[in-house]
Amino acid sequence: MNKTLMKKLAAFLIALSLLPVQAWATGYTGTKYPIVLVHGLFGFDNIGPVEYFYGIPEALRADGAKVFVTQVSAANSTEVRGEQLLAEVQRILAVTGASKVNLIGHSHGGPTTRYVASVRPDLVASVTSVGGVNKGSKVADFLLGVAPPGSYSNAVVVSLSNGLASLISFLSGQPKLPQNALSAANSLSTAGSLKFNAAHPEGVPASACGEGAYQVNGVSYYSWSGAQPATNILDVSDPALVLTSLAFAGEKNDGLVGSCSSHLGKVIRDDYGMNHLDEVNQFIGLVNIFETNPVTVYRQQANRLKNSGL
C-alpha cells in the first residue's frame, strides 16, 4: 500500500516538474505570460546603467514576472516600429516557450504594441498603454504646423532629430535600426493617429474621452496616464514638459499627451500626479513624492494581469 502511494506521489511530482515554468509564477507580479516593455519616441532599452523604464524591470522580476525590454527604432512610423516589435515578440516566445506575451508600451510604444496585437492577436494576451498616443498629440500637431514638410525649418528639425535617434540607437547597441523622425511625427499627429486607428481600431474608444473595448480577438486592453506636467523641482526635464503642455490650451495632459488621447480599453486612471517621463520613473526616479510611485503602478498592473489569468 505504501509502495503504491509512493509511486503515485513520485509520478505526480515528475508530472509537475514537466509543466511550463510560467505555471509556477505565484508571486505578486507573477503573470502567466512574459511581460514585454516597449519604449516611446527617442527611447531605448538601456544606455549603460540608465534604463528607459527606470527600475521597473527589476521590480517586476523580484516578485515573479518574466520581463523583457525591447529596442525598436527610436524614431520611425508606428508600422515600422510595430514590425520590429513583432520580430522581437516572436524571438521572446521562441526563447521562453510561452504562447503569448503581455505588452506594455509607453508613449509611442502604445500604438506600437497595438499594431502587434492587431496583426497577430494570437501572440498577445494583453496590451497596456501607458501615456499612449492613441488619438494623436497636439505637440506633434504643433511641430508639424510650425515646420511643415517640405520647408527649410522642417528639414533642419528632421535632420537633427534623425541624428539624435541614430545616436540613441548607437549608444543602446542597435546602430542598424532605421530612423525617420518625419514618419514618427506624422504617426504621432492627430491625423496620422486617426488613419492608424482606422486600420487598427482594437481597444480605441468610440467617444472622445471614453473607454474602448476591454477585450478584442482574445486580447485584453488597458491604459493609464498622468496629468501633471511639473512634479518635482529637482527634475531637470520638468520645465520642458511645462512648456510643451502649453500646446494643449488647458486640456488635461502629461506634458506631451492629452489624457483623453491616452485612453485605450479599460482606463485604470488618466490623472496620476505624473508627467510623461514620470510614467516610466524618469528622470532617474525623481518623481512626485505625493503620488503613488510609478514602479508601484507597474507592479499593480502586473498583479491585475496575473489575477486575470494573463
Side-chain angles (χ1 to χ4, degrees), residues 68-107:
F68 295 84
V69 185
T70 56
Q71 172 75 59
V72 296
S73 290
N76 217 314
S77 70
T78 301
E79 292 82 1
V80 168
R81 285 165 50 97
E83 284 295 320
Q84 293 169 351
L85 177 60
L86 176 56
E88 285 286 282
V89 167
Q90 291 172 322
R91 180 186 64 80
I92 290 167
L93 294 178
V95 168
T96 62
S99 58
K100 296 183 179 184
V101 295
N102 291 302
L103 297 173
I104 300 180
H106 174 246
S107 191

Side-chain angles (χ1 to χ4, degrees), residues 5-77:
L5 182 62
M6 290 300 292
K7 286 180 179 180
K8 288 182 178 180
L9 179 60
F12 176 71
L13 292 174
I14 291 171
L16 285 179
S17 70
L18 296 176
L19 288 174
V21 174
Q22 63 219 39
W24 287 96
T26 57
Y28 182 77
T29 62
T31 55
K32 178 179 180 181
Y33 303 108
I35 292 174
V36 177
L37 301 175
V38 185
H39 65 76
L41 180 68
F42 297 128
F44 48 89
D45 49 3
N46 64 279
I47 296 178
V50 179
E51 301 171 299
Y52 181 89
F53 291 92
Y54 190 74
I56 293 166
E58 296 86 344
L60 294 175
R61 291 179 185 128
D63 282 322
K66 285 186 177 180
V67 183
F68 295 84
V69 185
T70 56
Q71 172 75 59
V72 296
S73 290
N76 217 314
S77 70

Side-chain angles (χ1 to χ4, degrees), residues 209 231 257 287:
C209 201
T231 59
V257 180
V287 296

Side-chain angles (χ1 to χ4, degrees), residues 291-303:
E291 178 57 275
T292 305
N293 189 276
V295 176
T296 299
V297 179
Y298 281 87
R299 282 171 43 79
Q300 291 171 340
Q301 177 61 0
N303 183 254

Side-chain angles (χ1 to χ4, degrees), residues 236-245 255:
V236 296
S237 64
D238 276 25
L241 291 171
V242 170
L243 182 63
T244 54
S245 73

